[in-house]
Amino acid sequence: MAAVVALVVAFCVVAGLPSEAWAGRVGDGKPAAPPSPGLKRVLDYIEGQLDRYDKDLSELVAFPSVSALPDHTPHVLAAADWVAARLRRAGLQGVEILPTNGSHPVVYGEWLSVGTAAPTVLLYGHYDVQPVDPLDEWESPPFEVSKRGGYYYGRGVDDDKGGLLEAVQAVEAWLQAEGSLPVNVKVMLEGEEEVMSPHLPAFLRAHAARLAADVVLSADGGQPGPEVGGISLGLRGVVGMQVHVETAGTDMHSGMKGGSVPNANHVLAALVAGLRNANGGVAVEGFYDDVAPLTDEDRADVAEYHFDADQEKESLGLYGFTGEKEYGVLEQRWFRPTLDVVGMWGGFTGEGIKTVIPRAAHAKISCRLVPAQTPEGVLAKVSEHIARHCPAHARCRVIPMGGSCHPWTNPRRTAANDAAAAVHRTVSAKEPIYLRDGASIPALTFFQQELGLAVTKFGWGLSERIHAPNERLRADMYGKGRRAWALILEELARRQAEAAGVREEL
Ligand SMILES: *[C@@H]1O[C@H](CO)[C@@H](O)[C@H](O)[C@H]1NC(C)=O
Ligand SMILES: [Zn+2]
């Protein structure tokens, strides 16, 4: 208990340091300690297992564990079984497949034998994946790992099957080479991340005692580049909704009635057009009310990233960028909220032509949120906007759709962020940078909201083509990530021991 209190104090002391070091320096500026003899043996062990690690990736990717498609539930469950068996083989204890209130379980395992002398680290990742369509754009079958040109290709090689395997392999290397871990470890791998973890909040509440930890390290998420590490300070939140427009009780003949009756497609198109203003921003009344202005520190983080807009234009085949004129590309992704129509339909969309006036039209909208916006607040504002602009000859409704989550923010200085920075410095021989991500990982927000836990993002892929055809993972990052995981477990233990030592001297 005392050690737990000391740890909490140590975490708070570190977290409370002024962030004087924002201009390029991360954490306390110290590299990871030279590896202990034990860590050296762990790293040697890893070098002897490389074929095994390739086999891990091939075996896990072979399960089409697509969480969005109900037909694939048996594959998701089979993947969970494989992951549980893999945790057991790694040497973890108490491995269990824990049900959630959804159809995809959480796989859990732990190793707690260090006791209160060291922190307890909760490792988070997910074994479900995104759908693979359009299938004909894949250069090799999505569920067969293909290794070519220094990359692994396949659905989930990065997001997040490769990511979670790196963490598990590092834990295994400690347990097999040394018979112990430097910290207590709890591993929690879920099967609903790609559908926004709808059952995770209740799951975390139901298992709060079992999941108690000092910090969460997330194996989901990636690095900004092969040579440069990043510490993530935030993710945008998200809320989804569907707009329904109705103009009549029946479709009508476009010749007999055309011109004299409203067309639901046109009403929807006008509403959608009205969602953007001439400046490239979102025209919904009050949309930006809660959004904080950028600070000097925020702008410094953006500058440090050295975002190459031309290179991105080239690699994405973009003709140009859009958005709010007074913000740069990265500033928008990190600090500004969005509203995007992700799908629209109405009337006849089959082959050929049908002379019809549609009675109904629909659009799906996804908004990304920044502090201090809330999913409920944004949903209400968009609903009010649509209601206000709905013409008298139509009926318009907005209903929530899909999961939602609040933005996630992470203080610049936490003990785990500082430890991660030290590891980055060691494995890349370079200063890491602070960054944000425009995307959302609801689980990270849920750890914060439900368990009060700080999260450090510690994924090692480069997020290349994730959610898209030909997802790939650089083979050297798969190795680098595994070594980094081995290092951070020792680094967290060492830093806590040091902090506790400092406290005793005071
Ligand atoms: C399932 O939902 C019920 C009712 O909300 C809740 O009490 C229970 O803890 C949930 N179980 C899990 C494992 O999430
Ligand atoms: Zn993903």
Side-chain angles (χ1 to χ4, degrees):
M1 190 63 196
V4 174
V5 172
L7 175 72
V8 170
V9 171
F11 267 62
C12 295
V13 167
V14 175
L17 285 177
S19 53
E20 76 289 337
W22 56 264
R25 293 223 161 72
V26 184
D28 53 17
K30 294 182 193 152
S36 66
L39 177 54
K40 281 193 185 134
R41 286 190 290 270
V42 169
L43 296 173
D44 283 348
Y45 173 89
I46 283 175
E47 291 315 306
Q49 300 290 314
L50 300 182
D51 290 345
R52 169 72 245 175
Y53 300 146
D54 273 10
K55 197 156 169 267
D56 280 344
L57 195 58
S58 298
E59 288 181 13
L60 184 52
V61 167
F63 296 99
S65 51
V66 179
S67 48
L69 304 174
D71 283 2
H72 285 235
T73 298
H75 303 305
V76 178
L77 298 178
D81 284 340
W82 186 93
V83 170
R86 187 68 187 86
L87 294 189
R88 281 190 198 103
R89 204 170 53 232
L92 285 157
Q93 300 164 349
V95 175
E96 265 188 75
I97 297 181
L98 299 169
T100 66
N101 279 331
S103 40
H104 304 161
V106 168
V107 183
Y108 177 82
E110 62 187 25
W111 193 90
L112 306 174
S113 304
V114 197
T116 51
T120 298
V121 181
L122 182 61
L123 307 187
Y124 165 79
H126 64 92
Y127 62 87
D128 63 320
V129 294
Q130 285 277 326
V132 295
D133 56 285
L135 190 56
D136 58 4
E137 289 186 19
W138 284 82
E139 284 155 21
S140 54
F143 299 112
E144 280 172 36
V145 171
S146 156
K147 197 174 181 185
R148 44 185 207 271
Y151 287 92
Y152 301 99
Y153 288 83
R155 172 55 85 231
V157 288
D158 180 330
D159 180 16
D160 179 39
K161 288 176 171 175
L164 76 86
L165 282 170
E166 289 158 23
V168 171
Q169 290 158 355
V171 166
E172 174 183 61
W174 272 102
L175 290 173
Q176 301 306 322
E178 287 301 286
S180 67
L181 284 161
V183 291
N184 301 299
V185 162
K186 297 180 177 182
V187 178
M188 196 204 118
L189 307 167
E190 69 153 323
E192 290 192 331
E193 196 280 337
E194 299 295 4
V195 290
M196 316 248 320
S197 309
H199 303 100
L200 196 59
F203 178 89
L204 296 178
R205 283 195 295 277
H207 294 282
R210 190 195 297 234
L211 299 173
D214 297 298
V215 68
V216 179
L217 294 184
S218 171
D220 196 22
Q223 298 302 329
E227 305 297 337
V228 55
I231 309 285
S232 181
L233 300 183
L235 292 159
R236 290 194 286 192
V238 64
V239 62
M241 61 199 86
Q242 199 156 308
V243 182
H244 296 281
V245 170
E246 225 180 272
T247 48
T250 177
D251 282 1
M252 290 159 283
H253 190 292
S254 73
M256 291 167 69
K257 311 288 184 196
S260 62
V261 294
N263 177 323
N265 276 345
H266 291 244
V267 172
L268 179 66
L271 283 171
V272 165
L275 291 170
R276 287 285 165 89
N277 61 33
N279 189 46
V282 176
V284 171
E285 293 82 359
F287 191 74
Y288 295 103
D289 282 359
D290 303 320
V291 178
L294 269 69
T295 64
D296 289 347
E297 218 174 26
D298 294 338
R299 290 184 204 281
D301 289 341
V302 169
E304 289 265 325
Y305 193 92
H306 299 295
F307 175 72
D308 185 340
D310 290 334
Q311 194 265 325
E312 191 179 277
K313 228 166 121 175
E314 169 80 30
S315 76
L316 295 181
L318 281 169
Y319 301 107
F321 290 100
T322 56
E324 296 175 280
K325 293 192 174 63
E326 59 274 43
Y327 296 98
V329 173
L330 214 51
E331 288 175 340
Q332 295 193 64
R333 291 179 191 169
W334 288 5
F335 300 108
R336 304 292 292 171
T338 67
L339 182 156
D340 275 290
V341 174
V342 296
M344 284 172 81
W345 69 104
F348 182 68
T349 55
E351 249 179 78
I353 184 89
K354 182 181 177 194
T355 50
V356 68
I357 295 176
R359 59 169 288 274
H362 319 270
K364 286 184 193 285
I365 289 178
S366 135
C367 294
R368 298 286 171 166
L369 318 177
V370 299
Q373 291 180 305
T374 63
E376 306 74 37
V378 167
L379 177 67
K381 281 173 182 161
V382 176
S383 303
E384 280 160 29
H385 176 97
I386 295 288
R388 191 171 305 132
H389 296 270
C390 186
H393 53 252
R395 295 291 174 270
C396 306
R397 279 182 306 139
V398 177
I399 55 169
M401 182 66 55
S404 69
C405 79
H406 290 71
W408 173 72
T409 55
N410 182 18
R412 199 166 290 259
R413 300 293 305 276
T414 65
N417 279 357
D418 282 1
V423 170
H424 281 300
R425 215 171 265 125
T426 301
V427 298
S428 296
K430 220 182 227 175
E431 282 299 302
I433 57 176
Y434 288 118
L435 47 81
R436 267 82 173 163
D437 301 270
S440 315
I441 306 180
L444 306 197
T445 311
F446 299 151
F447 283 123
Q448 208 166 44
Q449 285 176 341
E450 305 297 340
L451 302 179
L453 287 176
V455 183
T456 290
K457 268 181 76 195
F458 205 63
W460 285 84
L462 302 180
S463 306
E464 290 181 89
R465 306 180 193 159
I466 61 173
H467 299 202
N470 305 307
E471 175 174 352
R472 65 184 194 176
L473 172 67
R474 269 177 66 133
D476 58 347
M477 294 306 283
Y478 188 43
K480 192 175 182 177
R482 188 184 305 125
R483 292 191 299 278
W485 277 101
L487 259 66
I488 198 165
L489 299 178
E490 176 160 289
E491 187 64 16
L492 284 166
R494 188 183 66 82
R495 282 169 174 256
Q496 181 190 322
E498 259 179 36
V502 168
R503 234 178 75 77
E504 267 159 33
E505 282 163 27
L506 288 177

